[in-house]
Amino acid sequence: MSLKGKIALLNTVLMSIVVIFLLFFMISISDSVIDTSSRNQLKYILEENAEEIEWDDGELELDDVDFYVNHVSTLIYSDDGFFLEGNIQNREFFDQFPLTNTYFTTVNLDGVEYLLYDLLVESRKHDNVYLRGIVSVTEMSETVSLLFHLTLVSLPFFILFAGFGSYLVTKRSMKPLEKIVETAQEISHGDDLSLRIELGKGKDEIHQLAETFDIMFSQLEQAFLTEKQFSSDVSHELRTPTAVILAECECNLSEKASPEEQREALEIIQKQAFKMQNLISALLNFVRLDNGVCKLEKEELDFCELISLVCEEQETLLSENQEIFVDIPSSVYYSMDYGLMIRVLSNLIVNGFQYGKEKSWVKVSLSETEENILVTVEDNGIGIAEEDFERIFHRFYQVDTARSSKNNMGLGLSMVAQIVKLHHGTISVSSELGVGSCFSLLFPKTLNKSEK
Ligand code: ADP
């Protein structure tokens, strides 16, 4: 049975139990309710009728008296007990009971129970009269019991109606859930990760669930596309050196190549093999960082000391036309992975010079606020076009391949971004073509502290 069927059935059973329970409860208290309401009604009607009794020239005026109202019959007797007015079957039977004042009496005639109530109406000038109110308690009980039986007979129809209504309501509220299942099934069968549930606006749990699923699908799609792109980029990058190696081998194996030519071919093969080796080790680093195999070995270090160290090291590699500046405070401590942070800084500094002009400089600065530490690596190089700001952080993306050396594969900045992200930081770039670029790394202090 479907979930909506189950819920509808459960609702119906529950409702029916409640109705049946209510019905039996009402029947069990009906006797005392009938008794109390009969007494109240009897008393009320007699008091009303008592007020309508008048004397006109010594004559009793009964025109305004209601002799039968709401199942209550009223009889009128004289002060000494003679019947004067009123109409009820078997009246003589009721006449035999002595008249009282404001008392209830229960009598039984042929198995029918009656409630009697007498009221004395006093008059100063004329003779007093008695009013006797009579109501059949059995008649009232029968009315209630008839109602009860009618309800019992109509109960199956009520249950059917409730069940059907409950099914419709459940079906309607389950519709969004069906859409979630449908979309998930479509994605799993058709591999189309671009599908979304898109339930629209709503704050209930089902809408929240659909929204969470949609976010998850987007992330899955993004991860899937990145993986796809990565695999295609890797195979593309490996195809060229492999093709070169194979061509060189074929050439030198098939023809009688001179030793010089063979040596030349070997040199080309070695160059391509180095390129592949570089690519493989870079990829390995990525995978290790991605999978968490290469765990961050964080320690509280002086960021300024680390920057000085990297800059000094890079300075030894500079040519005459290249200069490096450092603008840092005396010490700023931060918890970081020493080896990885060195990789970040050296990559940015090397890029600054590699994509620099003839006379080039790179400036590394550090400043801090209460919340963050900001490291910037600025250069006066060729600059980067605005449309490439985001793309340069993608794997294998290179703006100007002519400038890249054999070791450049467009992986440096994506690795830098990955390491910064692992330190909960962010990286951004601002640049102007022909003027220079500035890479800014922002590291939050709070997350860093809470991790310790
Ligand atoms: P690679 O240097 O191996 O090509 P990167 O990921 O380090 O790869 O850089 C990606 C691209 O971004 C480079 O090809 C280059 O065109 C551009 N780039 C990086 N740094 C700079 C810079 N400081 N100035 C100008 N262009 C840069």
Side-chain angles (χ1 to χ4, degrees):
M1 193 188 274
S2 67
L3 186 63
K4 50 183 182 258
K6 276 184 197 163
I7 294 177
L9 186 72
L10 219 77
N11 271 345
T12 317
V13 170
L14 209 74
M15 254 192 289
S16 311
I17 290 174
V18 171
V19 170
I20 292 171
F21 178 76
L22 213 73
L23 227 63
F24 278 99
F25 173 71
M26 278 163 70
I27 218 73
S28 68
I29 61 161
S30 65
D31 278 351
S32 65
V33 171
I34 288 170
D35 189 60
T36 317
S37 79
S38 307
R39 281 167 191 259
N40 288 343
Q41 202 172 11
L42 202 53
K43 199 172 163 211
Y44 174 75
I45 289 173
L46 271 214
E47 279 167 1
E48 289 272 293
N49 276 339
E51 275 175 28
E52 299 300 333
I53 289 181
E54 287 166 0
W55 281 265
D56 190 12
D57 282 343
E59 280 283 312
L60 201 57
E61 275 263 339
L62 300 172
D63 293 349
D64 294 330
V65 173
D66 275 325
F67 285 98
Y68 186 75
V69 61
N70 284 349
H71 303 280
V72 175
S73 306
T74 304
L75 302 178
I76 301 187
Y77 295 89
S78 67
D79 202 8
D80 43 10
F82 279 107
F83 170 74
L84 298 177
E85 192 79 51
N87 188 17
I88 189 169
Q89 251 189 349
N90 302 314
R91 202 210 72 223
E92 290 78 11
F93 170 74
F94 297 107
D95 288 349
Q96 63 180 310
F97 298 102
L99 291 159
T100 59
N101 189 18
T102 66
Y103 276 107
F104 287 100
T105 321
T106 308
V107 296
N108 211 300
L109 171 64
D110 301 333
V112 180
E113 196 173 285
Y114 290 92
L115 192 66
L116 268 54
Y117 181 69
D118 297 336
L119 194 65
L120 175 68
V121 183
E122 288 172 310
S123 166
R124 275 191 217 152
K125 290 185 193 164
H126 311 284
D127 291 340
N128 295 340
V129 286
Y130 277 99
L131 298 188
R132 168 162 284 177
I134 303 159
V135 70
S136 161
V137 182
T138 310
E139 193 186 316
M140 287 187 104
S141 306
E142 274 170 0
T143 314
V144 171
S145 127
L146 183 74
L147 259 173
F148 174 69
H149 281 102
L150 266 175
T151 317
L152 261 188
V153 169
S154 58
L155 199 64
F157 298 102
F158 165 78
I159 292 173
L160 260 177
F161 182 73
F164 184 63
S166 175
Y167 180 77
L168 286 185
V169 171
T170 319
K171 194 177 166 191
R172 202 182 144 80
S173 38
M174 284 283 164
K175 224 166 179 87
L177 215 61
E178 275 172 9
K179 204 166 172 219
I180 296 175
V181 176
E182 240 169 59
T183 315
Q185 275 174 349
E186 265 176 56
I187 290 177
S188 70
H189 292 152
D191 291 336
D192 184 1
L193 281 171
S194 66
L195 286 173
R196 297 291 175 272
I197 302 164
E198 280 170 350
L199 267 196
K201 280 185 184 164
K203 283 190 173 167
D204 56 39
E205 288 82 351
I206 295 189
H207 278 83
Q208 279 174 9
L209 182 74
E211 213 180 303
T212 316
F213 266 119
D214 275 348
I215 294 171
M216 192 180 79
F217 290 149
S218 299
Q219 285 171 346
L220 269 177
E221 188 187 17
Q222 193 53 46
F224 182 72
L225 289 177
T226 314
E227 276 316 300
K228 214 167 140 182
Q229 183 65 38
F230 184 60
S231 318
S232 110
D233 288 344
V234 171
S235 45
H236 180 260
E237 290 299 313
L238 285 172
R239 200 175 295 145
T240 322
T242 329
V244 174
I245 290 173
L246 282 174
E248 287 300 324
C249 290
E250 211 171 307
C251 220
N252 282 276
L253 287 174
S254 60
E255 288 168 24
K256 281 190 177 161
S258 65
E260 264 166 42
E261 282 171 328
Q262 281 180 347
R263 188 179 171 75
E264 231 173 79
L266 274 176
E267 274 171 7
I268 295 173
I269 290 172
Q270 190 190 31
K271 212 167 128 187
Q272 296 303 325
F274 274 135
K275 199 172 175 184
M276 285 168 78
Q277 193 186 36
N278 278 340
L279 178 66
I280 289 165
S281 66
L283 289 177
L284 218 69
N285 277 332
F286 269 121
V287 175
R288 280 179 181 157
L289 284 172
D290 264 353
N291 296 347
V293 176
C294 167
K295 287 236 165 68
L296 291 195
E297 283 171 19
K298 282 191 175 178
E299 47 187 327
E300 189 82 359
L301 294 169
D302 186 353
F303 220 142
C304 302
E305 204 179 304
L306 189 122
I307 291 174
S308 305
L309 197 97
V310 177
C311 290
E312 274 165 30
E313 208 177 273
Q314 290 298 323
E315 213 165 12
T316 58
L317 307 170
L318 299 185
S319 66
E320 262 180 27
N321 292 330
Q322 296 175 323
E323 248 184 305
I324 192 160
F325 302 107
V326 183
D327 177 14
I328 50 175
S330 53
S331 67
V332 170
Y333 280 85
Y334 194 71
S335 170
M336 63 181 110
D337 185 306
Y338 180 76
L340 292 181
M341 200 54 85
I342 285 188
R343 247 196 254 175
V344 167
L345 291 170
S346 0
N347 249 293
L348 293 174
I349 297 170
V350 168
N351 273 357
F353 288 117
Q354 186 165 7
Y355 303 104
K357 293 176 195 152
E358 247 186 63
K359 218 171 153 37
S360 58
W361 54 258
V362 169
K363 184 177 166 189
V364 185
S365 323
L366 185 146
S367 59
E368 65 170 331
T369 61
E370 255 180 43
E371 287 97 33
N372 300 307
I373 293 175
L374 175 69
V375 179
T376 56
V377 181
E378 205 181 335
D379 63 58
N380 65 336
I382 57 171
I384 303 161
E386 208 176 325
E387 67 260 26
D388 288 322
F389 282 3
E390 212 194 302
R391 284 185 283 198
I392 52 170
F393 296 105
H394 293 177
R395 288 169 187 174
F396 297 108
Y397 187 77
Q398 292 179 301
V399 181
D400 184 5
T401 40
R403 268 186 176 254
S404 307
S405 77
K406 66 178 184 327
N407 290 326
N408 291 111
M409 287 165 291
L411 289 173
L413 283 181
S414 61
M415 167 105 64
V416 166
Q418 195 181 18
I419 296 172
V420 172
K421 196 175 158 196
L422 284 171
H423 282 84
H424 307 294
T426 52
I427 183 164
S428 58
V429 64
S430 60
S431 182
E432 199 178 325
L433 279 174
V435 178
S437 314
C438 179
F439 287 85
S440 308
L441 317 176
L442 197 69
F443 296 102
K445 283 180 175 173
T446 38
L447 255 172
N448 196 250
K449 268 182 204 147
S450 65
E451 262 187 2
K452 276 183 226 165

